[in-house]
Amino acid sequence: MPPVVIGTAVGLSGANSVVAPSVVQATQLAIDEINAAGGILGRKVVLEVADDGSGAAGAQKAYDSLLFQKKVDAVISMETSAARNAALPIVTRAKKPFIYTSFYEGRSCNKHLFINAWVPEQQVAPVVDYFSTKLNTKSYFLIGSDYAFGRGMLEFTRKYIASKGHKVVGEEYLPIDGSDWTAIISKLKASGADALISSTSGGAPNVTLTKQLRAAGVSLPFGNLAVDEGTAKSMGSDAKGVYTAGSYYTSIDTPRNKEFLSAMSKRFGPDMKTPNDLSTPQYEAVWAYKLAVEKAGTLETDKVLKALGEVSVNGPRGEIKMDQQHHAALTMYIGQVQADGSVKILETFQNVAPGAQCPQLK
């Protein structure tokens, strides 16, 4: 029998290149485990990886290659919103399932698209509420990357801050590939803000912004809406003290997470990249696809899409089911980066709903 082919488009180059290797590793582990257990419908699973360059033009080439040349059976990908938006028309034309595993700005709706990562409704409130109640912050400065994710996250954040009776005293953006934050940091320092919240593209912009903030002596409470644990580790001492909210940290104290971390370490050894909130959903999504295909009893797209909203994966983040308008309720955590780059979990929020994302999708 021919293999089941899963395609993964990811930013091996560009802004996501810092986190992409961990995503590929998590994907490979899931496929190895599935093959060891007999594959999908008795067929071996094969992975095809394409570099989307972290952007729209690269995604168009990557998806054309995966769907029409490699003829993958499904795409399971962590990538920027720019890449996802460029890919969706190609996925629609190819009529294949697409599981998107990156946290994002929300409300991307397509019958072929399922999402198992968080949206603003699940992530912003823990940071703002923690700052206002525990740190007594009342005024905020917002910094983002100038594209769909950065602007979408901060638009939601601005509205949420206002709903709490607080104010935004500045909001600034840099292009997704920008690296000089000097002028924006000067505006931040002059603003009198009590706290900083950022939403940049995952990976490189997080690193440059944080390093430059530290070099400029900025010590305000800093909530980062896009930093993953692996990227935080790569920053060294610069990331210490940064607050972050997410659905996965390596410090989650459950047997299933410990089992996952042990399997990652055994599979990749010293080459293992730190599992994080961008790679772990990828691992779980591969398993979700297997369960959906086996529930459907076929690779036929419409039947697999129906099953994707019905199956539940017991993964490192807990029980994940993409049954809420093609999104998932998630347990969320607020944490603070420690000196060694690990994240100390400060508070846990169980079963946070994604809200009204795609009402037209049942």
Side-chain angles (χ1 to χ4, degrees):
M1 287 190 292
V4 175
V5 186
I6 291 176
T8 291
V10 68
L12 297 171
S13 60
N16 278 168
S17 59
V18 174
V19 74
S22 68
V23 174
V24 175
Q25 285 188 350
T27 312
Q28 190 61 62
L29 176 65
I31 287 174
D32 289 352
E33 291 176 344
I34 288 167
N35 282 334
I40 296 178
L41 296 178
R43 294 161 61 175
K44 181 181 179 182
V45 184
V46 173
L47 175 63
E48 288 282 353
V49 178
D51 180 12
D52 67 22
S54 302
Q60 289 173 337
K61 293 176 183 175
Y63 276 75
D64 270 331
S65 172
L66 289 173
L67 289 162
F68 294 108
Q69 295 173 34
K70 304 294 186 181
K71 298 191 182 302
V72 302
D73 295 296
V75 178
I76 301 174
S77 288
M78 186 294 300
E79 54 197 347
T80 65
S81 292
R84 181 197 68 250
N85 289 339
L88 275 171
I90 302 168
V91 172
T92 301
R93 194 166 79 245
K95 297 183 172 63
K96 295 292 183 181
F98 177 17
I99 307 178
Y100 183 61
T101 63
S102 175
F103 51 72
Y104 84 116
E105 70 282 357
R107 293 172 177 77
S108 187
C109 305
N110 182 295
K111 98 172 209 182
H112 295 89
L113 178 67
F114 281 78
I115 295 157
N116 71 348
W118 54 253
V119 292
E121 286 86 341
Q122 294 165 306
Q123 200 239 9
V124 170
V127 174
V128 175
D129 290 353
Y130 188 89
F131 277 18
S132 62
T133 58
K134 299 292 174 65
L135 305 180
N136 198 33
T137 58
K138 293 181 172 60
S139 62
Y140 297 81
F141 197 97
L142 309 181
I143 297 178
S145 289
D146 191 5
Y147 76 120
F149 174 74
R151 286 194 174 272
M153 288 296 297
L154 293 185
E155 178 183 7
F156 186 93
T157 303
R158 186 188 335 112
K159 291 176 180 176
Y160 188 79
I161 288 169
S163 76
K164 295 296 179 178
H166 301 314
K167 60 182 178 178
V168 172
V169 295
E171 183 174 346
E172 297 289 337
Y173 295 88
L174 205 64
I176 192 171
D177 56 354
S179 60
D180 184 359
W181 302 90
T182 308
I184 291 176
I185 292 172
S186 294
K187 291 180 181 179
L188 163 67
K189 293 175 79 170
S191 71
D194 295 330
L196 162 66
I197 294 179
S198 72
S199 180
T200 60
S201 174
N206 274 316
V207 177
T208 57
L209 173 59
T210 306
K211 285 185 178 296
Q212 290 170 40
L213 285 166
R214 297 314 186 211
V218 174
S219 58
L220 294 173
F222 176 15
N224 190 316
L225 302 181
V227 71
D228 66 278
E229 194 169 346
T231 303
K233 279 188 184 294
S234 77
M235 292 185 205
S237 60
D238 288 329
K240 181 183 176 183
V242 171
Y243 293 89
T244 176
S247 64
Y248 179 78
Y249 296 107
T250 55
S251 52
I252 293 173
D253 189 12
T254 62
R256 184 68 184 89
N257 185 42
K258 291 175 181 176
E259 179 185 295
F260 167 69
L261 292 172
S262 175
M264 284 290 296
S265 180
K266 183 177 179 182
R267 172 66 173 80
F268 298 104
D271 295 327
M272 184 189 82
K273 306 300 181 184
T274 303
N276 55 74
D277 211 13
L278 290 165
S279 69
T280 304
Q282 183 82 8
Y283 169 85
E284 293 166 344
V286 177
W287 275 100
Y289 178 69
K290 169 190 163 65
L291 295 175
V293 169
E294 294 188 338
K295 181 177 178 64
T298 176
L299 292 173
E300 186 182 321
T301 295
D302 284 347
K303 292 180 180 178
V304 173
L305 292 175
K306 181 176 185 296
L308 275 172
E310 299 170 349
V311 298
S312 179
V313 175
N314 179 22
R317 296 184 297 163
E319 207 73 28
I320 308 293
K321 188 175 185 182
M322 295 178 285
D323 61 342
Q324 299 193 25
Q325 300 169 14
H326 291 206
H327 289 69
L330 300 169
T331 293
M332 299 294 294
Y333 307 89
I334 183 164
Q336 188 173 32
V337 181
Q338 305 299 295
D340 64 354
S342 65
V343 177
K344 178 183 178 182
I345 293 174
L346 303 175
E347 289 189 14
T348 302
F349 307 83
Q350 297 286 346
N351 201 37
V352 182
Q357 294 297 322
C358 302
Q360 73 275 28
L361 298 175
K362 302 300 182 187

